[in-house]
Amino acid sequence: MMVTCLVQIIGAVIQVTSHSSAQFIVGRILIYLAVGLVENVVPTYESEICPAPLRGFCVGSIQLFLTFGSLIAGIANQYLSKYSSDAGWMIATGVQGVPAVIILAGLPFTPNSPRWLISKGRRSEALKALQRIRNKQANDSGLCELEIFALESSDNNSEKAPWSALFNSANRRRTSIALAIMALQQLTGVTFSSSYGPTFYKKVGLGDMAFTYAAINNGVSVVTAMIGMILFDTFGRRDVTFHGCWLQTVFLCLIGGLGSKPHRTTGDTNGMVASFILYAAVLHATLGPSAYITAAEVGTATLREKTMAIATAFNVVVGFVVVYTTPYLLSTPGANLGAKLGYIWAGFAGVGAIWVWFFMPELKGRGLEEIDELFAAKLPAWRSKKFVGSGLGGAVANSKEDVMQKEQVEEVEKV
């Protein structure tokens, strides 16, 4: 994270001081490199430090902050677009360095991952770090010592596997799940929503309200992203992602149908705008965070960082294809699809719902070691919800859930 922050700050400085397109592009590349590092490091770290019953909430928070970032960027762009001097674009690009400075200030107070420390043979440091991030009851009940023992007994102590192991018979299924869900996140149009909202509204004749509608869209998505953080640990990854995909399909088809009418009424226009906002709201509450959560927790201990790395890299590549092709699909010169572009994203969302049902296992509430047991059992995805692990990983996860439930009961009794 320290390297990521430094890359981000350097990229912002290079952009702000640019006197040529080439220099600005170099700064932009560095910024995007930092984004890729964040999407890799943050979910992996969160998945390793969070107790199983809260892993969806914690890892899913990255979607909230990505959406919140889009909201801030949209507001800043709208305000700064009124500047006629260089200060407009310089402030807009310079703001990119602010989050990195905030993170750097917080890093000294951030413990290392206990799992990483165990993999390096630093048991006492791992226990101390775990005790810092677990609550008092977990410490008093000896759950931290049990968790450390479970980590020492798992593959966490094994030497990290090579990249080629991602696609061997033992890990191929896990890698394919991470790659598929990261690709689906982009292919259902997340960039279409976050990056081309104002362009879309202008294209369909709503130029006067383009930035306003985009800001509303981002604001609603921030709220639903917060709701999504709760949904995954309440209803499970499979159900939330499945229902999210088919709902996206419905709203995207409505965008295509209402927006492409030759003689659109005011009601049609309002319906299209509402569908666009609702589609984005569903995306940021379901498939958006689900991609990061699943990719972060699906990899085995010896390959977790590599699984997340290849998944986020694939996400960036697919996202680049979407970003590059969207202007040509949306406008002229190009396919000039306009609102009909919604049908394309709807097709991918429909495929996503089918994929979730047949291929995405339920990982809610499971310890990372219990997930290893689940894949070793080779159950079909639709039967994974009923699987109960028999090893220490499952016992630790269940103990954490019992502690959390006990805390909730005590809070109710106090009230």
Side-chain angles (χ1 to χ4, degrees):
M1 282 307 300
M2 186 178 294
V3 171
T4 300
C5 292
L6 293 175
V7 170
Q8 177 91 355
I9 292 169
I10 292 169
V13 170
I14 290 174
Q15 283 184 294
V16 171
T17 58
S18 293
H19 294 286
S20 66
S21 298
Q23 182 179 341
F24 192 88
I25 290 170
V26 169
R28 183 72 188 96
I29 290 172
L30 287 175
I31 291 288
Y32 209 58
L33 174 61
V35 171
L37 288 170
V38 164
E39 291 183 347
N40 184 358
V41 176
V42 171
T44 303
Y45 176 75
E46 290 176 329
S47 72
E48 291 188 348
I49 67 168
C50 295
L54 289 175
R55 199 167 56 240
F57 179 89
C58 294
V59 181
S61 66
I62 189 172
Q63 186 66 40
L64 168 64
F65 288 103
L66 289 171
T67 309
F68 183 71
S70 294
L71 174 62
I72 297 301
I75 294 172
N77 285 343
Q78 184 175 13
Y79 177 76
L80 294 169
S81 65
K82 301 171 185 176
Y83 280 57
S84 57
S85 65
D86 286 345
W89 68 265
M90 292 177 74
I91 294 172
T93 53
V95 165
Q96 295 174 108
V98 174
V101 173
I102 295 172
I103 294 170
L104 278 176
L107 281 181
F109 308 98
T110 307
N112 276 317
S113 162
R115 294 173 185 275
W116 180 81
L117 290 167
I118 285 291
S119 72
K120 301 298 180 182
R122 295 155 63 177
R123 188 185 193 280
S124 60
E125 292 179 61
L127 179 59
K128 186 177 179 181
L130 193 62
Q131 288 172 336
R132 278 186 62 191
I133 58 180
R134 295 290 184 259
N135 57 31
K136 185 177 184 299
Q137 279 196 317
N139 279 293
D140 293 344
S141 63
L143 189 57
C144 292
E145 286 81 0
L146 178 61
E147 189 170 353
I148 291 296
F149 182 71
L151 293 178
E152 290 178 316
S153 304
S154 70
D155 286 342
N156 206 71
N157 271 330
S158 303
E159 186 178 346
K160 294 296 181 181
W163 287 93
S164 58
L166 286 167
F167 299 99
N168 64 23
S169 57
N171 297 299
R172 192 180 302 125
R173 181 185 178 191
R174 303 169 81 145
T175 304
S176 65
I177 289 170
L179 292 173
I181 197 165
M182 278 294 203
L184 282 170
Q185 184 204 54
Q186 293 290 343
L187 291 172
T188 56
V190 65
T191 311
F192 170 54
S193 166
S194 61
S195 300
Y196 289 102
T199 306
F200 171 78
Y201 289 124
K202 289 179 181 178
K203 177 62 184 175
V204 296
L206 300 172
D208 292 342
M209 296 291 290
F211 276 107
T212 302
Y213 285 145
I216 294 172
N217 185 49
N218 284 328
V220 172
S221 294
V222 167
V223 175
T224 57
M226 288 189 283
I227 295 172
M229 289 166 61
I230 300 171
L231 294 178
F232 286 103
D233 288 322
T234 304
F235 299 103
R237 281 65 156 151
R238 267 177 63 85
D239 287 349
V240 173
T241 309
F242 174 76
H243 292 302
C245 284
W246 73 256
L247 280 170
Q248 284 182 76
T249 305
V250 171
F251 290 126
L252 285 164
C253 285
L254 285 172
I255 292 171
L258 294 173
S260 60
K261 282 187 175 182
H263 304 290
R264 200 169 61 236
T265 65
T266 302
D268 293 333
T269 299
N270 292 337
M272 179 191 64
V273 172
S275 296
F276 193 96
I277 292 171
L278 289 170
Y279 142 72
V282 171
L283 170 61
H284 289 96
T286 58
L287 182 58
S290 178
Y292 294 110
I293 296 169
T294 303
E297 63 190 4
V298 77
T300 188
T302 58
L303 284 169
R304 186 166 295 115
E305 297 88 349
K306 292 182 176 69
T307 302
M308 193 66 194
I310 194 172
T312 51
F314 194 53
N315 179 273
V316 169
V317 170
V318 177
F320 170 77
V321 173
V322 172
V323 169
Y324 186 82
T325 58
T326 295
Y328 297 101
L329 293 171
L330 191 62
S331 308
T332 303
N336 197 28
L337 293 177
K340 292 180 182 177
L341 182 58
Y343 289 133
I344 294 178
W345 306 137
F348 285 116
V351 170
I354 297 170
W355 177 85
V356 169
W357 181 260
F358 287 103
F359 298 103
M360 183 178 174
E362 182 54 74
L363 305 180
K364 167 185 171 286
R366 303 188 188 280
L368 296 178
E369 288 69 37
E370 187 184 8
I371 292 174
D372 293 339
E373 291 184 62
L374 170 63
F375 280 100
K378 298 182 178 180
L379 292 173
W382 58 90
R383 290 177 54 196
S384 60
K385 189 181 294 187
K386 298 180 180 179
F387 176 81
V388 178
S390 58
L392 273 175
V396 172
N398 291 331
S399 298
K400 290 175 185 173
E401 193 159 0
D402 291 341
V403 168
M404 290 178 66
Q405 289 175 351
K406 184 178 178 181
E407 285 181 332
Q408 290 170 353
V409 171
E410 289 176 352
E411 288 298 320
V412 171
E413 288 175 346
K414 287 178 182 177
V415 173

